[in-house]
Amino acid sequence: MKNSFDYIFKGTNFSVELKKELEKMFTFKKVKKREILLSANKTVKTLFFVVDGCLRSFYLDEQAREHTLHFAVKNAAITDFTALYNNKPPSLKIECITDSVIIEIDFSEYRKTLSKYKELESFQRLVYERHISSLSNRILKQLTLTAAERYKLFLAEFPQVNELASNHHIASYLGVAQQSLSRLKSEI
């Protein structure tokens, strides 16, 4: 589990004091396949970091259709960031695609620690920059690429998710019907 802590903060020169404070707010947890970690009736107070396994965030629309926004695999973070940062009710659900090991990070404690340590604040700024860039790229590709191009890109970016997630989840991520995904898989 220590390796996961080191991975989250690789390339940093955090003080021993800061590392100890951060370790206190991390909770390692084993979760089961299909377990919902975040739903509409819960306040978002936690950031989830995947040590092992696969999680997804998704939106359930008024017609009860699922729209997968993000997959998180080993060494990735996931939550409803909009709800977390704006202290609003969540619009996304977080589901375990596989049995997984995660780190739950108490975000209110993390925020307090951010204000105390300049080195952590700089690290977090870089994390935000990468996250914003990633989201912008995903939106642009969703708007401009064909379904086949989006699927090929998905395979390149998330090869392990293709093996772990159902066609339903992958299709909802790509914005296509399951039948279209089956056709794409047969053509590629």
Side-chain angles (χ1 to χ4, degrees):
M1 300 296 181
K2 179 98 172 92
N3 290 345
S4 295
F5 181 85
D6 292 339
Y7 181 84
I8 295 171
F9 299 108
K10 74 178 176 186
T12 64
N13 292 320
F14 290 168
S15 65
V16 173
E17 179 186 346
L18 173 55
K19 286 182 180 180
K20 285 181 181 176
E21 262 194 69
L22 290 169
E23 286 176 334
K24 286 183 211 170
M25 65 186 79
F26 287 15
T27 305
F28 287 87
K29 188 175 177 183
K30 290 182 180 182
V31 290
K32 295 287 184 194
K33 181 178 181 174
R34 294 189 188 91
E35 187 173 336
I36 301 294
L37 301 177
L38 181 65
S39 60
N41 59 353
K42 291 184 179 178
T43 304
V44 182
K45 296 181 180 183
T46 307
L47 177 64
F48 305 101
F49 185 83
V50 181
V51 176
D52 189 39
C54 181
L55 281 63
R56 74 176 179 125
S57 63
F58 68 99
Y59 175 76
L60 197 61
D61 70 18
E62 293 173 2
Q63 289 78 38
R65 290 181 305 224
E66 294 179 3
H67 303 276
T68 299
L69 180 68
H70 180 64
F71 289 103
V73 293
K74 186 175 184 174
N75 297 325
I78 191 168
T79 195
D80 184 332
F81 291 100
T82 301
L84 182 70
Y85 297 139
N86 296 300
N87 200 25
K88 296 192 180 226
S91 57
L92 300 176
K93 293 183 179 191
I94 308 292
E95 177 186 28
C96 300
I97 300 296
T98 64
D99 289 349
S100 302
V101 178
I102 61 171
I103 300 171
E104 289 184 343
I105 303 169
D106 180 320
F107 198 70
S108 64
E109 289 301 314
Y110 184 75
R111 260 195 168 148
K112 288 177 195 172
T113 307
L114 265 176
S115 64
K116 282 174 56 177
Y117 294 92
K118 180 102 174 119
E119 57 198 306
L120 182 60
E121 192 174 52
S122 296
F123 167 81
Q124 190 61 43
R125 181 183 45 77
L126 292 172
V127 169
Y128 288 151
E129 289 171 0
R130 282 185 290 216
H131 184 70
I132 290 166
S133 175
S134 174
L135 288 175
S136 294
N137 283 330
R138 169 137 162 71
I139 292 166
L140 186 59
K141 288 175 171 102
Q142 191 73 17
L143 293 171
T144 61
L145 298 179
T146 66
E149 290 169 329
R150 289 194 310 270
Y151 182 59
K152 287 176 185 173
L153 184 62
F154 171 81
L155 291 174
E157 290 179 346
F158 297 107
Q160 65 277 45
V161 174
N162 192 52
E163 302 299 319
L164 301 172
S166 71
N167 279 351
H168 170 76
H169 296 149
I170 296 168
S172 76
Y173 178 83
L174 296 173
V176 299
Q178 275 187 261
Q179 299 83 351
S180 297
L181 178 60
S182 295
R183 182 180 44 76
L184 288 171
K185 283 184 167 189
S186 70
E187 292 173 0
I188 293 177

